[in-house]
Amino acid sequence: MGHRKILFPATHLGLFFILYLLSSPCVSFSFPFVKPKHHKINGPIKTLVVLVMENRSFDHILGWLHKTRPDIDGLKGSEFNRVNASDPYSSKIFVSDDAVFVDSDPGHSIQAIREQIFGSNDSSANPAPMNGFVQQAVNMGVPGMEQTVMSGFKPELVPVYTDLAKEFGVFDRWFASVPASTQPNRFYVHSATSHGASSNVRKDLIHGFPQKTIFDSLDENGLSFGIYYQNMPATLFFKSLRKLKHIFKFHNYALTFKIHAKLGKLPNYVVIEQRYFDVKIDPANDDHPSHDVALGQKFVKEVYETLRASPQWKEMALLITYDEHGGFFDHVPTPVSGVPNPDGIIGPPPYYFRFDRLGVRVPTFLISPWIDKATVIHEPTGPTTSSQFEHSSIPATVKKLFNLKSSFLTKRDAWAGTFENYFRHVRLLVMIVQRNLRR
């Protein structure tokens, strides 16, 4: 009975959100329901599960793994920022391994991130110096924030991630798509653009965003998708997902996720959304400061174990990433050149951001029985010399992994690095083809 009471707030809020959006004037009602056509997937992965956590940098979560895993580009302990980024004699604040589960929320607006990356309003430096995290934290006026942003977790305090990195794959060159806050980056995960959004503007989110998504591409090719939400499905900020024909693609996580996994009924593309709202009866488990990281670890473990026990596991991959770095320090320079604007849209005043550089590096895992143990994935090998792993790599890989006939969504996912070749079966086929070509 107690468990049922805990479920009610998230269930009611999520259902209310769906019904509200479906009843709004911007909702498109599409009839009839079209039966999916058959589409052949050639590779070993038939289901890709995507889980996007909130607001933590790579160094903050995984940086200290470097001590026992030198193959991972993490922290040595000598990294620091000065209190005044432009003063070479200013006090230094070094990285530390004393991050705690519940802590203050650092700055992560587009202007705060610019200061963190470049140490000033001048964003022309290449490579990016990554020297303004402490300075920006001090400017917030929150006592101790300068130590908070330079802190990281001891590996034993994030045991789920430590074990996943040991058993599967971890990217140490995966970046947020845009140096901005949550929703712009979440848009890139599924549409390879934020359609000009560089911040979370409530009226724009309610109105909805019109760009084509990977969900549309999957639907065009007769493949299935599903969103398993807890508080609310943030994917409904895409207008195309508000069509009535997609209403049964949204599932309450607590009520259906484990059942669908156990029955082997998970769709081809699965999006899992956390509890974003921190309320006493149902605390948040998304890792967004000041939410409890221990609850995030528990949630990730639950998702992994549910999928691991599914009959679909042998044909499945789980990708876990973070929407953006949340203001926490990372030592790897953010890519600032060779990044294409996805669709020619420029951001709003006063910054007029051109979407031609990436955000800060974030923790990202690739989990599958097809991944070699303790794999570390560095920079991609293409499709261009400047390509990087970033959130647009997800729709780009889905296109290749599932053999989609649809075009790339934007110039950004056409440019982004893809990870389909890290599954053993695919690599074997590539090697066989290359060997035959050499004969």
Side-chain angles (χ1 to χ4, degrees), residues 34 164 427:
V34 179
L164 289 176
R427 291 205 307 278

Side-chain angles (χ1 to χ4, degrees), residues 154-274:
K154 295 176 181 177
E156 58 267 28
L157 291 183
V158 283
V160 176
Y161 286 161
T162 299
D163 285 348
L164 289 176
K166 183 190 306 181
E167 296 299 323
F168 300 103
V170 60
F171 294 84
D172 67 357
R173 279 295 190 283
W174 187 292
F175 298 90
S177 297
V178 57
S181 50
T182 289
Q183 288 306 328
N185 278 292
R186 285 185 173 268
F187 285 143
Y188 273 84
V189 171
H190 305 299
S191 68
T193 179
S194 63
H195 198 71
S198 57
S199 62
N200 305 330
V201 180
R202 182 177 299 178
K203 66 178 180 61
D204 292 340
L205 296 173
I206 293 174
H207 182 261
F209 282 71
Q211 65 264 38
K212 185 175 180 177
T213 70
I214 194 63
F215 303 107
D216 300 314
S217 297
L218 290 162
D219 195 46
E220 290 169 357
N221 287 266
L223 295 178
S224 57
F225 65 85
I227 292 94
Y228 294 80
Y229 67 93
Q230 296 185 64
N231 289 149
M232 55 167 267
T235 43
L236 274 174
F237 294 136
F238 293 116
K239 278 187 176 181
S240 65
L241 286 185
R242 299 178 185 183
K243 295 177 181 178
L244 188 59
K245 70 174 182 177
H246 294 320
I247 190 170
F248 295 112
K249 307 290 179 61
F250 291 87
H251 311 281
N252 180 279
Y253 172 88
L255 299 178
T256 61
F257 178 64
K258 289 184 179 180
I259 294 173
H260 288 184
K262 184 176 182 179
L263 295 176
K265 298 294 185 182
L266 291 173
N268 300 113
Y269 187 63
V270 175
V271 176
I272 298 176
E273 299 203 43
Q274 313 90 319

Side-chain angles (χ1 to χ4, degrees), residues 293-349:
V293 170
L295 294 179
Q297 289 288 282
K298 182 179 178 181
F299 173 55
V300 170
K301 183 175 187 289
E302 176 182 277
V303 170
Y304 166 72
E305 291 186 344
T306 298
L307 297 176
R308 182 68 181 81
S310 171
Q312 294 173 270
W313 172 248
K314 61 185 180 295
E315 297 181 325
M316 183 185 294
L318 165 64
L319 187 127
I320 303 171
T321 190
Y322 280 71
D323 57 356
E324 42 108 347
H325 74 296
F328 292 99
F329 172 78
D330 198 272
H331 78 278
V332 172
T334 293
V336 296
S337 62
V339 181
N341 179 299
D343 43 22
I345 301 174
I346 305 301

